[in-house]
Amino acid sequence: FHYPNQENIVLNDISFTIHQGEKISIVGLNGAGKTTLVKLICRLYKPTSGTIYWNGNDINMYQYNSYLSQIAAVFQDFKLFALSLQDNIDMESGNREEVLHCIKQAGLEDKIASLEQGIDTFLSKQYHEDGIEMSGGEMQKLAIARAFYKNSSLIILDEPTSALDPLAEAEIYEHFGELVDHRTSIYISHRMSSCVFSDRIIILDEHKIQKIENH
């Protein structure tokens, strides 16, 4: 793969298989192509050559919205909205009990409990005087809770703990298997120490897969 109107190869001769329910980590230095790889899986780009398969079918054969419904992703540049915390996680069904469960899973339970209006609190003071401003780590946890809430078969977390303090990061790693439950998961990191929970680790370097092993 190379980006449109560019000749520099970002990913070259990539080939691997992920099995249902596996926890996979992709590790590599900045610029190794980790995020690009999962964006290809998410169909944000198309491979320059080669094919990505899901259950033996070219992913481009699936209806786009149906395909995306099976993926929950938290990228480094995730977005939150000046809505209530509840609406940032679930804007449709309003399943408050499940929203609170996902908030607890993501480690935001104490923060929500401290708020007078709980999950009905508005994010940002831009449009609401009684809204709150959250720290970078808290917003990251909210984005993770949103990904947990989506009933997808694949969850992708791209450096999801970069804004968290070491204790909060360790807590998420410790419970990662429980958090993703039965879902297939892809976790991107540049630190090998954060991938202990993984079934397999894919090491990317020089635009290629150098090794696939357990921790």
Side-chain angles (χ1 to χ4, degrees), residues 16-52:
F16 61 94
T17 300
I18 297 175
H19 303 287
Q20 184 176 1
E22 272 194 310
K23 294 185 287 293
I24 299 294
S25 285
I26 302 176
V27 179
L29 299 173
N30 290 336
K34 306 184 297 295
T35 299
T36 301
L37 182 55
V38 294
K39 285 186 175 180
L40 285 165
I41 293 172
C42 292
R43 285 175 62 177
L44 297 177
Y45 300 102
K46 287 185 177 181
T48 307
S49 64
T51 307
I52 301 171

Side-chain angles (χ1 to χ4, degrees), residues 39-192:
K39 285 186 175 180
L40 285 165
I41 293 172
C42 292
R43 285 175 62 177
L44 297 177
Y45 300 102
K46 287 185 177 181
T48 307
S49 64
T51 307
I52 301 171
Y53 297 96
W54 186 305
N55 289 341
N57 300 308
D58 182 341
I59 60 173
N60 292 299
M61 298 297 291
Y62 293 104
Q63 197 274 334
Y64 186 65
N65 289 334
S66 175
Y67 182 79
L68 290 189
S69 72
Q70 294 303 312
I71 301 175
V74 180
F75 292 107
Q76 294 179 56
D77 56 349
F78 65 87
K79 294 290 184 280
L80 297 174
F81 306 97
L83 302 169
S84 70
L85 302 180
Q86 158 87 26
D87 286 343
N88 266 282
I89 294 175
D90 173 25
M91 205 177 290
E92 295 179 352
S93 68
N95 187 336
R96 296 174 68 85
E97 188 175 327
E98 183 61 23
V99 167
L100 287 168
H101 175 65
C102 292
I103 281 173
K104 181 178 180 179
Q105 284 184 308
L108 261 184
E109 185 179 26
D110 290 344
K111 174 67 176 181
I112 302 304
S114 72
L115 301 173
E116 187 176 339
Q117 297 180 11
I119 57 175
D120 295 316
T121 304
F122 282 96
L123 183 63
S124 174
K125 294 181 179 295
Q126 187 173 2
Y127 301 112
H128 306 276
E129 288 184 6
D130 56 350
I132 61 167
E133 301 292 345
M134 301 181 88
S135 68
E138 289 168 342
M139 290 193 293
Q140 206 162 36
K141 287 180 178 180
L142 188 61
I144 292 171
R146 180 168 61 191
F148 290 156
Y149 184 81
K150 185 176 181 180
N151 188 26
S152 62
S153 54
L154 172 64
I155 186 166
I156 296 172
L157 302 177
D158 184 359
E159 303 263 13
T161 58
S162 60
L164 301 185
D165 63 69
L167 287 176
E169 183 180 42
E171 187 177 353
I172 284 187
Y173 295 152
E174 186 178 343
H175 301 291
F176 191 83
E178 175 189 334
L179 298 178
V180 298
D181 196 20
H182 60 283
R183 292 180 285 190
T184 308
S185 61
I186 300 175
Y187 179 92
I188 295 177
S189 179
H190 61 273
R191 286 184 293 191
M192 194 67 74

